[in-house]
Amino acid sequence: MIATAFTSSLPTGFDVQGHRGCRGLMPENTIPAFLKALDLGVTTLELDVVISKDRQVVVSHEPYFNAAYSIAPDGKPVDKKDQKNRVLYLMNYADIKQYDVGSNGNAAYPEQEKRKTYKPLLSEVIEQAEAYRKSKNLSDFSYNIEIKSEPSEYNKSQPEPAEFCALVQAVISQQLKAERVVIQSFDFATLQYWKQQADAGQYPTVRLAALVENLRSPDKNLAELGFKPAIYSPYYKLLSRDRIARLHEQGIKVIPWTVNEPDAMKRLIDWGVDGLITDYPNRVGSL
Ligand code: G3P
Ligand code: CA
């Protein structure tokens, strides 16, 4: 097994998570981004999932084709005014796969390589990443899978939590050991449902991560969640040394997103975070 590229400069067990693979360097949430992140030594692949009309688990941040980088099968870039009409939940995966989500790059990430690629299935990402792990003799890494869910979108661009979770757990159960998986969501109803099913022995007992971008205190958010998650994952600017310490006292790990600037990375590491979710895993190596 090779050691990760980061082990010498970071606390033992520190979790470097490649956000959407490594969005700063490769088209987000695609196979090339995940394999590149593994080349860079990440300990976790962070990714987002949505559901197609034929109930496939598709790796995508939006439940539609983002105009910032998507090209339709006719070769025309998706128009911003039209992007939300191209709803993945209303399309079969065979049609989703025809869109090119890499050739045009993404203007917000100028270092991103332009490369023709498509939105993969979760099952394919796991298959390819596991084959890569074996071929390169890499250490076991984790998958931090975000169930992209919000109550206002139930039955519009996504199923309700019970169906969404069932589809995701079916893929995971077939392909991965539970200890290699984190399920994260901003929608606490999905985390509550997963926990209930896991406690009943119906779902794998994965680590659950509460995603947070609101201004409420961690205590308020945890009270709303109703149980202690393995991980609390806030927007990084919501953290302080004290908040991290208080979460640690409760046995909860703290892994903020999306930390791209080296100064912020260093500050958060000094404050004691357990990991970072970043678009640029290459920058962690040179801290
Ligand atoms: O995993 C945390 C982070 O990915 C949440 O934000 O919008 O990039 O999915 P977003
Ligand atoms: Ca995410």
Side-chain angles (χ1 to χ4, degrees):
M1 298 284 169
I2 64 159
T4 73
F6 312 115
T7 44
S8 58
S9 53
L10 295 170
T12 309
F14 193 82
D15 189 7
V16 179
Q17 301 204 6
H19 186 239
R20 309 188 197 179
C22 51
R23 173 172 59 169
L25 308 171
M26 283 285 173
E28 67 175 67
N29 279 322
T30 66
I31 302 283
F34 297 120
L35 300 189
K36 173 86 177 175
L38 293 176
D39 283 341
L40 292 168
V42 301
T43 41
T44 297
L45 296 176
E46 193 274 345
L47 55 96
D48 310 288
V49 295
V50 303
I51 302 299
S52 65
K53 184 178 176 185
D54 51 349
R55 298 307 191 260
Q56 303 288 305
V57 182
V58 182
V59 178
S60 176
H61 185 264
E62 284 82 25
Y64 55 86
F65 281 99
N66 190 327
Y69 54 81
S70 303
I71 303 172
D74 63 5
K76 294 187 184 139
V78 169
D79 192 295
K80 195 161 172 98
K81 291 194 284 294
D82 183 39
Q83 62 180 4
K84 291 195 176 167
N85 296 325
R86 298 175 191 254
V87 180
L88 307 191
Y89 192 50
L90 305 178
M91 297 169 70
N92 287 328
Y93 180 65
D95 298 320
I96 292 170
K97 199 175 176 183
Q98 301 309 311
Y99 281 69
D100 173 0
V101 293
S103 293
N104 270 355
N106 182 335
Y109 299 91
E111 289 172 51
Q112 191 186 93
E113 189 175 308
K114 295 183 172 68
R115 169 192 292 223
K116 186 170 184 194
T117 187
Y118 55 89
K119 289 187 187 289
L121 293 177
L122 174 61
S123 57
E124 186 188 0
V125 168
I126 298 171
E127 213 174 271
Q128 299 264 343
E130 290 306 297
Y132 201 67
R133 177 177 66 78
K134 287 177 192 141
S135 74
K136 300 275 176 180
N137 202 24
L138 304 176
S139 305
D140 275 6
F141 50 85
S142 293
Y143 294 82
N144 186 5
I145 300 167
E146 181 179 349
I147 295 185
K148 270 289 171 215
S149 176
E150 46 184 299
S152 61
E153 289 296 310
Y154 294 174
N155 299 314
K156 291 180 188 158
S157 66
Q158 63 163 98
E160 293 194 23
E163 186 183 357
F164 207 149
C165 290
L167 291 163
V168 173
Q169 82 83 25
V171 175
I172 292 167
S173 298
Q174 265 207 329
Q175 293 181 267
L176 290 171
K177 290 190 178 139
E179 60 262 31
R180 294 186 59 201
V181 178
V182 175
I183 291 292
Q184 48 168 347
S185 194
F186 287 104
D187 182 358
F188 287 0
T190 63
L191 299 175
Q192 288 158 348
Y193 184 78
W194 194 293
K195 181 170 189 307
Q196 184 196 335
Q197 294 300 310
D199 288 350
Q202 302 296 314
Y203 279 17
T205 306
V206 300
R207 286 162 282 162
L208 295 174
L211 287 174
V212 169
E213 61 182 345
N214 62 52
L215 297 175
R216 290 194 291 275
S217 68
D219 284 346
K220 281 224 167 88
N221 282 315
L222 292 172
E224 190 197 320
L225 181 61
F227 66 91
K228 276 187 199 165
I231 301 164
Y232 191 81
S233 264
Y235 175 52
Y236 75 99
K237 289 188 179 172
L238 297 172
L239 280 176
S240 65
R241 197 189 282 277
D242 285 353
R243 281 193 166 179
I244 294 165
R246 165 98 189 106
L247 286 156
H248 282 168
E249 278 162 23
Q250 300 172 78
I252 299 170
K253 290 193 171 180
V254 183
I255 304 184
W257 49 275
T258 301
V259 193
N260 289 341
E261 296 311 320
D263 282 350
M265 291 176 179
K266 281 190 216 154
R267 185 176 67 248
L268 289 158
I269 292 167
D270 178 56
W271 286 354
V273 294
D274 301 279
L276 294 172
I277 302 175
T278 178
D279 290 313
Y280 297 94
N282 54 321
R283 295 181 184 171
V284 183
S286 47
L287 287 180

